[in-house]
Amino acid sequence: GEDVEQSLFLSVREGDSSVINCTYTDSSSTYLYWYKQEPGAGLQLLTYIFSNMDMKQDQRLTVLLNKKDKHLSLRIADTQTGDSAIYFCAEIGDTGRRALTFGSGTRLQVQP
Amino acid sequence: NAGVTQTPKFRVLKTGQSMTLLCAQDMNHEYMYWYRQDPGMGLRLIHYSVGEGTTAKGEVPDGYNVSRLKKQNFLLGLESAAPSQTSVYFCASSRPIGQVNQPQHFGDGTRLSIL
């Protein structure tokens, strides 16, 4: 079945850039998403990228997609303490499955 | 701006008890989903529905049942709760996948403890 993997933890200093990485196995992935989860809250959609794109930028967020290597990354510029959260990578393909496959999440800790 | 609303937010059950988790969405979305979130395991799909009156099994359906009698509501039932079902449960909804990008919108979760 489809699989999505992420590193578990990332620590950065406030003002630095953060890069969260994700790999996936589904070669038919059409959309890839990044969600943010703050403590005690649900998942908030941050951004997404369609599989025919290499890069998408949205304010402080940059998503890079390497479809050949099935590698997705999320770069947060000028990371703030408010960015501390768990970040989930998710994908959906065109195999007829109707729901997202999530990674296990990367906990981002931003130190002042 | 209610979006996806889950009730209750917290619940403690004894082994063997039953309960129903309610999810309601006001976005007229066709698709609805139930996930469970366990530490270090991300979100796993329990059941989903692609329309009123239809349901389908996800990745971890055992021990759960669902119903979608109304388009805006998706109910998750535990007939006989087990400690292994201690988890945080999330409901989500979306428009049909595949037409254009249609991300899933999530509720704030239900924290369920089974003693």
Side-chain angles (χ1 to χ4, degrees):
Chain A
E2 297 82 6
D3 193 23
V4 178
E5 293 190 356
Q6 302 177 238
S7 54
L8 292 180
F9 185 75
L10 176 65
S11 180
V12 301
R13 291 199 176 276
E14 191 173 18
D16 288 348
S17 292
S18 307
V19 179
I20 302 171
N21 294 303
C22 170
T23 58
Y24 60 96
T25 59
D26 185 1
S27 59
S28 70
S29 291
T30 52
Y31 290 104
L32 297 112
Y33 303 86
W34 284 104
Y35 282 86
K36 176 184 181 182
Q37 184 182 34
E38 298 185 15
L43 275 71
Q44 171 195 356
L45 178 68
L46 282 180
T47 187
Y48 65 91
I49 189 167
F50 188 50
S51 60
N52 67 353
M53 299 168 65
D54 297 325
M55 184 182 82
K56 181 178 180 180
Q57 189 155 2
D58 184 1
Q59 298 183 332
R60 292 191 297 123
L61 305 178
T62 302
V63 179
L64 295 177
L65 175 60
N66 182 328
K67 197 173 180 183
K68 174 177 172 292
D69 294 338
K70 298 189 182 67
H71 182 268
L72 182 74
S73 68
L74 173 69
R75 179 178 180 271
I76 306 173
D78 187 24
T79 312
Q80 303 297 308
T81 55
D83 294 324
S84 293
I86 301 176
Y87 291 80
F88 290 93
C89 170
E91 64 87 22
I92 191 161
D94 61 0
T95 59
R97 180 171 48 89
R98 307 295 185 92
L100 299 175
T101 298
F102 285 86
S104 56
T106 299
R107 182 178 296 277
L108 175 63
Q109 181 181 70
V110 182
Q111 299 175 345
Chain B
N1 275 7
V4 179
T5 303
Q6 292 183 231
T7 53
K9 296 190 185 306
F10 304 94
R11 187 72 183 269
V12 178
L13 291 178
K14 293 181 179 179
T15 298
Q17 286 185 316
S18 63
M19 79 161 295
T20 301
L21 280 63
L22 172 64
C23 176
Q25 53 95 4
D26 61 1
M27 296 172 283
N28 201 33
H29 283 169
E30 291 290 335
Y31 287 16
M32 296 188 75
Y33 312 82
W34 275 107
Y35 294 91
R36 60 178 288 173
Q37 184 180 29
D38 301 296
M41 298 188 73
L43 275 75
R44 292 183 293 169
L45 183 65
I46 304 172
H47 286 280
Y48 64 97
S49 168
V50 300
E52 183 179 322
T54 70
T55 63
K57 294 180 179 180
E59 184 184 356
V60 288
D62 294 342
Y64 305 95
N65 57 76
V66 288
S67 63
R68 184 96 181 270
L69 299 179
K70 293 183 178 181
K71 186 177 183 179
Q72 63 268 33
N73 295 337
F74 195 29
L75 279 63
L76 178 71
L78 285 74
E79 291 186 348
S80 179
S84 61
Q85 293 178 304
T86 294
S87 188
V88 181
Y89 291 85
F90 286 99
C91 177
S93 71
S94 74
R95 297 195 189 283
I97 303 291
Q99 294 179 359
V100 291
N101 174 52
Q102 296 295 352
Q104 294 184 359
H105 298 260
F106 283 82
D108 288 337
T110 295
R111 282 148 186 80
L112 187 61
S113 294
I114 316 296
L115 304 179

